[in-house]
Amino acid sequence: MRQKFFLFIVFALFASCSSDSGEESSSTKVNPPTGKADSFAATRQFEVILTNPHCDECTSEDKNHLLERSQIIARVVELIESAKTSIDVAQFTFSRREIEAALLAAHERGVKVRIAMDFKQSEQSDNVSNRLKDAGLAVRFIKGKANSSFNGLQHAKFMMVDGDILLTGSNNWSSTGTSINNENTIILRSDAQDPMVGAFQCYFDAMFDSIFQESAECSSDEVKFTPGTRAFGMMKEDLRAANRSVDVLMHHLVFDDAVKLLAQTAERGVRVRVLVNAADREEIKGSRWDRFFAAGGEVRFKKTNADAFQIMHHKLAVVDDKILINGSGNWSGSAFFNNYEFYVRYTQPEVVSPFVSAFDRLWAWSFDAESLDSGITAAEQDAAQRQHYFGNLHAHFDLKDGEKFMDDGVLEREVDGEAVDVSAEANGDPILHALEYARDRGGLDFIALTPHVQDDNPADSNNIANMNAAAYGQMLSTINSINESSAGEFVALEGMEWSTNSTGNHLNIFGATELAKVERGDFETLYEGYLVAQSETGARPFIMFNHPRTFRNHDLLLGQWDQIFGVNLLDIENNSDRNKKFNDFGLDDYEPLRSVRDSWIAGEAMPDEAVVQETMQTIVRVTEPYARLMEVTVARGSELASETPVNPSMTEDPETGAIGRFAKVHTDYDYYLRSGFKIAPVANHDNHRANWGTGHTTRTVAVAETLSRDAILEAIDQRAIYASEDENTAVWFYADDRVRQGSEMVTISDRVNIRFRVVDPDVAGDFLVNVYVGTVGGDEVTIQQSFDVEAGAWTEQLIALPGEGDHFIYLELHERSQDRMTWSAPIFVEAQ
C-alpha cells in the first residue's frame, strides 16, 4: 500500500501542465545543449548590473530619482535596440514603458520578438503584455505546474538577443524592480553554441510551447532549470563543499531541506549568514531554524518600505567568496517543483566579486533580531559587534637558503646605541621567532610577514632577497601552526613584497596562493596577469601600495621621488634619479604615458599632468578589484632598531635640526584619492630589525568582528583599516547611521551626516579632529570642519559636499598630550 501511495505522489509531482494562451501545446521535445563551458571561457564577456539603491527604506522621491537613472532600464533598452534578428523575453511582471516601446520598435523593424509572461498578466486588461500582444507581438501567458487548487508560475526572468546575448537574474521589469528593490542582472555575451546560452534557448522554447515537465532537461552543468531536483542538487553539492563561508540573500527561504542544509553546513564550522526581508521575519522559525541558530548560523533582516512595495529581491548564495548560485527562484517548494525557474552557477571572478561586495553592503545595513527589536541604528549595531585590532602589515625577517637571501631582515637589535646580534633568540627558526616576538613582546594583535619576491634573475647576487617556493612553504607552515596555537589571541598573515624601488616601487600582496614571480617593474603583467590568474583559481588577492614617494618634500632636484611638473627633467643632474621618474606603481607601463615618457626623460618635452592623470585612470580601473591600502607613515624600519618605541613620523630637519612630523597623508595619499583610488591608510613598519612591535608606536588598525585570519583579510577587503601613530587609539566612524569607514555610499543630498568616536585608554583629554573632504578629479583636499572632541564620546556633524560627483571624507585625529595622529579610512560618497 505504501509503495502504491509513493508512486501516486511521484506521478502527481511530475504531472505536466498546459498553456493558458489559447495556443495548442506543441508535441516537440526539448533540445538540451551540448558542449562544455570550458571551450567558451576565453570568449565569454560578463557584465553585472546591481540596482543597489542608495536608500534603505526608500521614499517616492528616492524611487523617482532612481528610475531616472536606472541602469537596468537603459541597458535593456540598448540591447533591444541593437537586436538584428530575434529577441526572446521571459518575465514574471513587466510595467516599464521604455522597455515596452523598445520591444514594439524592434518588432516594427522586423525583429522576431517572442514574450513569455506569467499567466496572471493576462487577467489585467491594460498592461504591457496585453498591449504588446494587441500590437501583434508573439506574447504567450504561461502557467507552471497545474495543481488541484493553484497553478505554478512562469517566474523566470531572462532575455536573449540574436541568440548570443543573454540577460539573467532576479530583475522584474517593474517600477520597483528597476529602482528601489535590491535586484541583479547578469549579461553574457558569447556564442549561440555556448552551452549556457543554448540551455536558456532550449528552456525558452520549451516554455513558449508550454512543455513544463520536460523543460528541466534543458539543464547543463552550469544551469539548472525547474521542475525537479536538479537545482537543489547543485546547491547541495556546493554548500557541502564549502570550506569557509556561505552567504545567502533570499526573498523567501521556506524550503525545509534548504534550511537543514544550511544548518548542516554551519555545523561543519563554516560561517553561514542569511539575509531576508524584515517583513518576512515570521518565515525564520521552526525546528530547522532552531538547529541552524544552535550551529552558529546568523540571520539579519533588511528593512524596506512596505508602503512603496520595496523588497530585497535577490535569490542567491555566495560560497567561499568564489562561487555564486544566482537565479530567478526563491528557495521554496513551489520554486523547485511548480514554477518555471532557473539557477545558475558562476565561478568567474568578474561575476562573483560584485556579489561579495553587495552582500557585505546589505549585511552592514541590516539587523539581527535583537537589534531590530531594540530600534538601534545599523551603525550602533556595527560598533557594538566589532573590535579594534592593532598590528603591522609590513614586516621582514632573516631567512637564507644556503647563501641566498630569501628575505633581508637582520637578527640584530640596538641596545644602548650598539647593534647586538640576537640570533640565539631565534633558535634556528627565524620565522617562528619573528611571530612569537610580535605576539609576546611586541604586543601586536596581528602581523603580516612580507618577504621580498620578484622574478628569478641569474644575474642577481645572493644578497638580493627573493623568496622561493620552498621557503615560502616553510613560512606558510609556521604561520598556520602559530595561528592554530594562538587562535583568538593573535593572527599571522602571509604576504609578499613584490618588485624593487628602482623599477617602480614595491607592492605588498595579501591573500594570494602563489609567489608573484613576475619580472620586477612589470606592473602590467602583475595587475592584468598574475592577479587575474590568482582570482581565477579562487584566491582573493589584495594589494597595498608601499612607501609612496610621489612628490619631493624639499626644493632640491635630488632623490627618488616620482613626479614633477613645470621642470625640464634634464635639470635633474643625477641620471639614475632622472631615469626613475614617472614609473611608480606602473605609470610607465600604460598609455598614454608609456609612449611619451622617454621624451620627458630626454628633456625633449615637458611632463604633462593631463597625460599622467589619463594614465592613472587606467591604473585605477585595472587595480580596482585588488587595490585596498596605501602606507601613509614613514617606517625608518632599519634605523629604529631598539625596543624603545619611537613615533617614526617625528623626524629631524637636516638643515635646522628641528623635530617635525613627516607623513605621506596630505601629499601622496590625498593625490591617489583625488585620482580615484579607493584605498585605506595604513602605518608603515617595514621592519628589518628584530623588534617587531617594540620599535614603533605606529599601528595599522583593523576593525573586525573577531581576531582571525579570515576576519583580518575581510577587513582589508572592506577597507575597514586605518593608520595611527599610537599603539591603541580606537576610532569608530560612520555616515548616515549605517555606512562604515572604508565603505562606499550614494546620496541625493548635498550633505552627509557623520558620527564618530575615539577612545584611547592612555588619554583622558580631548582630541583635535579635522574633517577632510576631497573630490575625485579635484585640485585639493581641504579641512571642512575642525573641533575638539571628548575622548569616548560620540560626536555627530553634518558635512557639506562640494556638489555632484565622487567625493571622500576622512578624519584626522590629533592626540595632543603625546602629539600623535590617527587617520581614519575614508567614506567614499557619490553625490547625485
Side-chain angles (χ1 to χ4, degrees), residues 43 87 113 133 156 238 258 297 318 324 351 356 366 373 408 420 539 604 680 723 751 786:
T43 56
I87 301 171
V113 180
K133 184 174 183 179
D238 283 327
V318 179
L324 169 69
V351 178
V356 173
S366 300
D373 291 338
D408 57 358
V420 175
E604 299 166 358
R751 285 172 168 75
S786 183

Side-chain angles (χ1 to χ4, degrees), residues 7 117 169 335 376 482 529 560 782 800:
L7 291 173
M117 297 296 302
I376 64 173
I482 203 163
Q560 293 187 3
T782 59

Side-chain angles (χ1 to χ4, degrees), residues 398 409-426 433 437 441 638-643 688-692:
D398 186 329
V410 180
L411 275 170
E412 65 178 33
R413 194 177 301 127
E414 184 180 292
V415 179
D416 296 330
E418 299 292 332
V420 175
D421 187 302
V422 294
S423 300
E425 287 182 11
H433 170 250
Y437 183 100
R441 294 169 67 174
S638 295
E639 173 192 351
L640 302 181
S642 78
E643 293 184 305
H688 282 78
R689 296 296 184 268
N691 63 343
W692 305 272

Side-chain angles (χ1 to χ4, degrees), residues 517-571:
K517 288 295 182 178
V518 176
E519 181 180 354
R520 62 205 76 180
D522 187 355
F523 285 82
E524 184 177 19
T525 297
L526 185 92
Y527 295 152
E528 300 186 65
Y530 169 81
L531 292 173
V532 171
Q534 279 288 291
S535 297
E536 289 174 347
T537 68
R540 294 270 293 162
F542 306 115
I543 59 173
M544 177 171 87
F545 298 112
N546 289 358
H547 37 68
R549 54 190 184 182
T550 313
F551 303 108
R552 55 184 177 161
N553 63 326
H554 47 70
D555 295 331
L556 304 176
L557 295 180
L558 301 173
Q560 293 187 3
W561 40 267
D562 193 59
Q563 297 182 26
I564 189 169
F565 301 99
V567 171
N568 190 306
L569 295 189
L570 278 183
D571 292 344

Side-chain angles (χ1 to χ4, degrees), residues 661-691:
R661 175 170 279 102
F662 176 49
K664 302 295 188 75
V665 179
H666 302 309
T667 52
D668 304 69
Y669 182 59
D670 282 354
Y671 176 70
Y672 274 77
L673 291 176
R674 289 190 293 109
S675 297
F677 289 88
K678 291 184 170 69
I679 46 179
V682 300
N684 178 11
H685 281 203
D686 202 2
N687 289 95
H688 282 78
R689 296 296 184 268
N691 63 343

